Amino acid sequence: MSTRAPTPVDTRTDPLPGSGDDGFFGIRLESIGGLGAHLAGKILAEAGVLRQGFNGAHFSSYGSEKKGTPVKSFVRFCPGDREVRTSSPIERPQVVAVFHEALTHSFDVAAGLTASGTLIMNTRSAPEQVREALGLRSGTVAVLDALGIAIEEKTRVNTAMLGAVARACPFLDPAVVKESIRASFSARYAHLVEANLRTFDRGYREVRSRTWPAEPGDPGRPVQRTAPAFGYLDAPIGGAILDVGNSIVKNLSTSRQGFLPAFDPDACTHCGICDIVCPDLCFVWSDEGDGQPAVRLLGIDYNYCKGCLKCVDACPTGALAELREEDGWAEAHRVPLFAWLDRERGDA
Ligand code: SF4
Ligand code: SF4
């Protein structure tokens, strides 16, 4: 994306550049709890509505309000003379910003993106790789290493992603978004204001993008709407659960916020301290004797690891080390805790 001055817009009446058929410009933030997507959406909405004179709305949707669970944050903008009469999730966004790359393995993060829309991904991959991985046909793919920026600036990925979103929205003035960041952090976290403004600037500057023109008539990415499993006509009597679940089929990979423990078997004394502190029973042990201690640590099943790094802190020998997670690393180094489960699913 080239650096540019914001497109002049009469905020009272002009349709926003790139608005959808419904007259709104929609932004959807795809994230997990703990990365600050809700705050990012709120800052964007305050910048556009309170400081630039658009009308708009913002809300977030999340489940159990704990770190690591999926979060979606929605921001709508329209001219100031138009009322916002909807509070529904944004199904046809002009911009989607993905705060956590691993979410792409769980659901279609780009669902409903318009043919000329922009997908922004927190990743170290190139736009071409992201486009291929997601099977996108047209539109703009923008990438930035938001986690790397956040680590260097000692902030969170949300303000780096905000910089990239501001760059993708031709009507938003980055200086105004920065005012909104300052106002938001000043009240309770004044010591973090400057670092977050630097993070925003770097997100704005360092995002790289490539555009693939849309074919005429391209409807964009299909919308996905989750339908309830049962309705009032076919719900099981008495609320019985017929399709039982089990935590061993759950994959917690999206709960990790960019780091995981890497295991070095040569430095391990098989003391078991890591297993005691791990809240999710991720460690896989062998009981082959072989003249060695009867129980030996084989590795970690990263499907169950949420990246809390308690094991790294506890390991007395340095056999566990904090590692910045690359896409695919966990799958390549995972030791399955339930090998039979992988065989049943055809993963082994
Ligand atoms: S705490 Fe460290 S040394 Fe002990 S079993 Fe775990 S990895 Fe090995
Ligand atoms: S980081 Fe370590 S302690 Fe935390 S869930 Fe993963 S394996 Fe368990």
Side-chain angles (χ1 to χ4, degrees):
M1 296 179 191
S2 60
T3 308
R4 49 95 189 113
T7 306
V9 169
D10 185 339
T11 56
R12 295 160 304 174
T13 54
D14 281 4
L16 300 184
S19 294
D21 296 340
D22 60 0
F24 291 110
F25 189 99
I27 302 167
R28 190 172 75 218
L29 311 180
E30 299 278 6
S31 186
I32 59 169
L35 297 185
H38 173 73
L39 179 62
K42 180 169 171 282
I43 288 171
L44 265 185
E46 285 179 359
V49 174
L50 301 182
R51 297 170 194 275
Q52 280 196 247
F54 299 114
N55 252 354
H58 163 247
F59 75 99
S60 299
S61 119
Y62 32 81
S64 54
E65 275 197 73
K66 69 173 186 180
K67 271 190 176 180
T69 51
V71 170
K72 290 177 192 287
S73 197
F74 306 97
V75 184
R76 279 189 173 88
F77 290 120
C78 61
D81 65 349
R82 186 171 167 194
E83 292 185 349
V84 182
R85 290 284 186 185
T86 175
S87 56
S88 61
I90 296 176
E91 293 184 329
R92 275 254 161 244
Q94 277 70 36
V95 173
V96 172
V98 184
F99 283 43
H100 195 316
E101 195 173 11
L103 287 170
T104 58
H105 303 302
S106 304
F107 58 90
D108 183 8
V109 291
L113 187 65
T114 55
S116 56
T118 300
L119 181 120
I120 303 166
M121 179 78 75
N122 172 16
T123 180
R124 293 209 266 197
S125 301
E128 294 77 10
Q129 292 169 300
V130 172
R131 179 192 184 224
E132 191 181 333
L134 295 183
L136 287 169
R137 290 195 314 202
S138 62
T140 299
V141 176
V143 297
L144 78 159
D145 182 9
L147 179 60
I149 296 172
I151 292 168
E152 285 170 20
E153 300 295 345
K154 298 188 172 50
T155 51
R156 289 196 293 175
V157 300
N158 59 350
T159 35
M161 294 300 287
L162 263 180
V165 172
R167 188 88 177 264
C169 296
F171 51 86
L172 279 180
D173 185 341
V176 170
V177 181
K178 286 173 73 173
E179 276 173 38
S180 205
I181 291 174
R182 185 180 289 284
S184 190
F185 281 87
S186 293
R188 289 174 59 192
Y189 306 105
H191 60 294
L192 296 177
V193 169
E194 293 309 319
N196 276 286
L197 293 176
R198 277 197 310 275
T199 305
F200 173 88
D201 283 338
R202 287 189 59 184
Y204 190 88
R205 252 190 346 258
E206 293 178 26
V207 63
R208 294 173 293 131
S209 70
R210 192 171 155 194
T211 298
W212 288 267
E215 301 282 331
D218 184 343
R221 191 83 156 188
V223 169
Q224 280 190 352
R225 195 172 291 164
T226 313
F230 299 108
Y232 73 97
L233 288 176
D234 58 357
I237 301 293
I241 297 172
L242 305 179
D243 186 13
V244 291
N246 191 305
S247 57
I248 67 171
V249 298
K250 197 156 170 55
N251 188 332
L252 298 182
S253 296
T254 51
S255 301
R256 295 192 292 270
Q257 300 193 16
F259 297 92
L260 46 57
F263 175 53
D264 174 6
D266 294 335
C268 178
T269 57
H270 311 284
C271 66
I273 293 174
C274 51
D275 208 357
I276 294 170
V277 299
C278 177
D280 286 287
L281 304 175
C282 304
F283 290 89
V284 186
W285 297 86
S286 147
D287 57 4
E288 302 147 19
D290 203 23
Q292 297 293 317
V295 176
R296 301 172 57 76
L297 181 58
L298 298 178
I300 299 170
D301 192 334
Y302 292 105
N303 277 7
Y304 307 122
C305 172
K306 60 188 177 195
C308 68
L309 302 177
K310 287 188 166 123
C311 56
V312 174
D313 288 342
C315 176
T317 69
L320 294 168
E322 176 179 336
L323 182 75
R324 167 112 192 245
E325 185 170 0
E326 297 288 344
D327 201 30
W329 192 96
E331 290 76 16
H333 293 83
R334 163 181 176 246
V335 177
L337 190 53
F338 304 103
W340 58 267
L341 184 63
D342 285 22
R343 282 195 295 275
E344 267 186 19
R345 294 164 137 188
D347 295 344

